[in-house]
């Protein structure tokens, strides 16, 4: 009964998300992600010549890595599960979509101007932090916390009370547009190919039909429609072989470079238009599903050597400073700043603002 009331309430709230008319910007307006082909990754072309990425930067946390804390034990005994979209019930899917629309209908906090909604607070945060959290090994850790923060805000401010979803893109590689996430009009809206000029189309179907994006493209903030322009030759690169190759790299920074420029970047550019905007791609709600896929790959890499890969990190941040487990990660005050060491283990159970950082994927 409680879940039914939740859905009805959000359905009423989401009804106020009235489609609006806004410009459809050309594809050239969106600064695209830099991609790394699998063959170039295998040739090591993404790795700076002479840069030693084999030895992780560690700190005192590693010395105590074999000690299981009470928080970790409690989390491991009963973690929050993230269910792959195909395992997610119809009711859960609708609740997830309604939760996103709820945030779109909430006023902005005022801390991220010119955001026009609580949802766009997150888009603006990503835009502001883009140089610091892309193109360097901080990418995976920051986006893990960013995704978790979005989840917590949707729970706290919109009453979302279901498990969180993730998208196994390897099962849809080369055929994203055929996923029911895009073909079912109750979900994210269609995923059309580009027009004759290579430009995207405004999304006029699904739960986000007619959505106006106020953040982006790039570092500008020009109102534009939510648009897409699928390129299935690029989505095909989100395949199992590429993911597995990236995860075969034993150094965190080596793996991160492959994952960021490989399946991550191809997924963004493959969906195209707004999702290909490096700075403001969260304007497209499918962003959260894509980054659940990216975080899943990160966690699978960690699972191959949990003792080491959840307690150490290497590589340098955007400013050239070595990453350590004490390096801070910030989400602009939406949730507390945390150490990388607090979020490196998704089963660590570290309390963040009174909420345990605790989840695992269904597979």
């Amino acid at each position: 009964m409680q879940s039914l009331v939740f859905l009805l309430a959000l359905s009423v709230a989401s009804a106020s998300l009235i489609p609006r008319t806004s410009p459809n910007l050309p594809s050239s307006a969106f600064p695209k992600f830099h991609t790394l082909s699998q063959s170039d990754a295998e040739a090591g072309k993404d790795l700076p010549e002479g840069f030693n990425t084999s030895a992780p930067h560690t700190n005192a946390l590693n010395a105590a890595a074999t000690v299981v804390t009470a928080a970790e034990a409690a989390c491991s005994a009963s973690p929050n599960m993230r269910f792959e979209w195909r395992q997610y019930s119809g009711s859960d899917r609708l609740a997830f979509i309604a939760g996103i629309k709820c945030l779109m209908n909430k006023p902005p906090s005022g801390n991220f101007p010119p955001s026009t909604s609580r949802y766009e607070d997150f888009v603006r945060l990503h835009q502001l932090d883009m140089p610091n959290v892309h193109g360097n090994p901080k990418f995976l850790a920051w986006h893990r916390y960013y995704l978790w923060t979005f989840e917590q805000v949707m729970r706290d401010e919109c009453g979302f009370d279901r498990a969180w979803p993730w998208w196994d893109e390897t099962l849809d590689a080369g055929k994203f547009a055929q996923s029911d996430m895009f073909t079912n009009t109750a979900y994210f809206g269609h995923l059309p190919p580009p027009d004759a000029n290579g430009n995207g189309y405004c999304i006029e179907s699904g739960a986000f039909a007619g959505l106006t994006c106020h953040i982006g493209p790039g570092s500008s903030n020009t109102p534009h429609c939510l648009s897409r322009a699928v390129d299935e030759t690029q989505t095909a690169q989100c395949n199992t072989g590429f993911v597995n190759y990236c995860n075969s790299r034993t150094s965190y920074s080596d793996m991160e470079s492959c994952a960021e420029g490989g399946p991550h970047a191809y997924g963004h550019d493959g969906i195209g238009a707004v999702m290909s905007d490096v700075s403001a791609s969260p304007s497209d709600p499918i962003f959260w599903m894509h980054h659940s896929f990216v975080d899943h790959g990160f966690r699978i890499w960690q699972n191959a050597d949990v003792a080491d890969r959840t307690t150490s990190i290497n590589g340098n941040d955007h400013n050239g400073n070595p990453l350590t487990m004490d390096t801070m990660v910030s989400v602009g005050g939406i949730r507390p700043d945390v150490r990388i060491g607090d979020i490196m283990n998704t089963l660590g159970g570290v309390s963040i603002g009174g909420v345990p950082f605790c989840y695992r994927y269904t597979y």
Side-chain angles (χ1 to χ4, degrees):
M1 178 61 72
Q2 182 179 8
S3 295
L4 178 60
V5 172
F6 165 74
L7 276 178
L8 290 174
L10 285 184
S11 295
V12 172
S14 64
S16 62
L17 187 67
I18 301 172
R20 292 165 287 179
T21 302
S22 49
N24 182 19
L25 300 181
S27 290
S28 59
F30 302 103
K32 292 181 172 53
F33 289 77
H34 173 74
T35 56
L36 171 73
S37 70
Q38 185 172 345
S39 59
D40 282 350
E42 291 172 347
K45 293 185 179 180
D46 58 312
L47 304 178
E49 185 176 354
F51 181 67
N52 179 12
T53 59
S54 61
H57 298 287
T58 62
N59 61 16
L61 181 64
N62 299 94
T66 58
V67 177
V68 177
T69 66
E72 185 176 355
C75 171
S76 296
S78 183
N80 294 314
M81 299 299 298
R82 290 188 174 180
F83 286 87
E84 206 281 324
W85 184 256
R86 293 161 184 81
Q87 302 171 322
Y88 214 40
S89 74
S91 174
D92 288 343
R93 293 176 179 190
L94 292 176
F96 180 69
I97 296 295
I100 293 174
K101 293 184 73 172
C102 168
L103 289 177
M104 290 180 171
N105 283 301
K106 283 188 170 293
S109 65
N111 297 324
F112 301 93
S115 164
T116 65
S117 69
R118 186 57 164 153
Y119 183 89
E120 284 193 338
D121 283 355
F122 281 88
V123 186
R124 177 61 169 159
L125 168 63
H126 189 275
Q127 183 190 53
L128 291 170
D129 279 4
M130 193 280 293
N132 298 316
V133 300
H134 280 272
N136 70 84
K138 199 172 187 179
F139 165 80
L140 285 175
W142 188 88
H143 281 82
R144 168 173 285 180
Y145 190 44
Y146 179 62
L147 177 60
W148 184 85
T149 297
F150 183 76
E151 175 187 354
Q152 303 316 308
V153 169
M154 203 160 95
R155 294 189 185 283
D156 289 351
E157 300 183 20
C158 287
F160 181 72
D161 62 354
R162 313 301 178 90
W164 199 253
W166 72 279
W167 178 16
D168 188 347
E169 292 180 10
T170 66
L171 301 177
D172 294 308
K175 52 181 181 179
F176 274 20
Q178 298 177 35
S179 168
D180 70 354
M181 286 191 294
F182 302 108
T183 61
N184 188 315
T185 56
Y187 304 146
F188 292 92
H190 63 300
L191 184 52
D195 65 17
N197 296 315
N199 298 320
Y201 287 94
C202 295
I203 301 307
E204 298 176 350
S205 67
F208 306 103
L211 181 68
T212 294
C213 307
H214 299 90
I215 308 301
S219 59
S220 70
N221 293 302
T222 304
H224 54 285
C225 73
L226 170 60
S227 59
R228 298 181 184 133
V230 71
D231 180 348
E232 299 288 21
T233 65
Q234 296 201 61
T235 73
Q237 301 308 307
C238 300
N239 61 71
T240 301
F242 205 162
V243 172
N244 287 347
Y245 170 71
C246 293
N247 282 353
S248 73
R249 292 183 169 186
T250 57
S251 161
Y252 166 82
S253 61
D254 289 358
M255 176 277 296
E256 184 283 325
S257 175
C258 181
E260 183 180 359
H264 161 258
Y266 281 109
H268 275 282
D269 288 351
I271 292 173
V274 169
M275 259 292 275
S276 69
D277 182 353
V278 179
S279 294
S281 52
S283 288
D284 189 335
I286 200 64
F287 173 95
W288 309 104
M289 297 300 295
H290 178 55
H291 268 273
S292 68
F293 165 69
V294 175
D295 185 65
H296 173 266
F298 178 20
R299 182 64 213 195
I300 294 300
W301 176 80
Q302 291 182 303
N303 286 345
D305 187 356
V306 173
D308 179 66
R309 295 179 181 181
T310 62
T311 62
S312 63
I313 196 168
N314 71 320
N316 298 327
D317 68 13
H318 175 66
N319 296 312
N321 301 312
L323 294 178
T324 75
M325 297 293 272
D326 289 322
T327 298
M328 299 304 293
V329 175
S330 173
V331 286
I334 298 177
R335 284 296 183 273
D337 293 357
V338 297
R339 299 162 53 255
I340 282 181
D342 294 330
I343 59 173
M344 201 65 167
N345 184 0
T346 68
L347 293 175
V350 174
S351 179
I352 301 175
V355 179
F357 187 80
C358 175
Y359 67 87
R360 67 177 293 266
Y361 292 90
T362 46
Y363 66 85

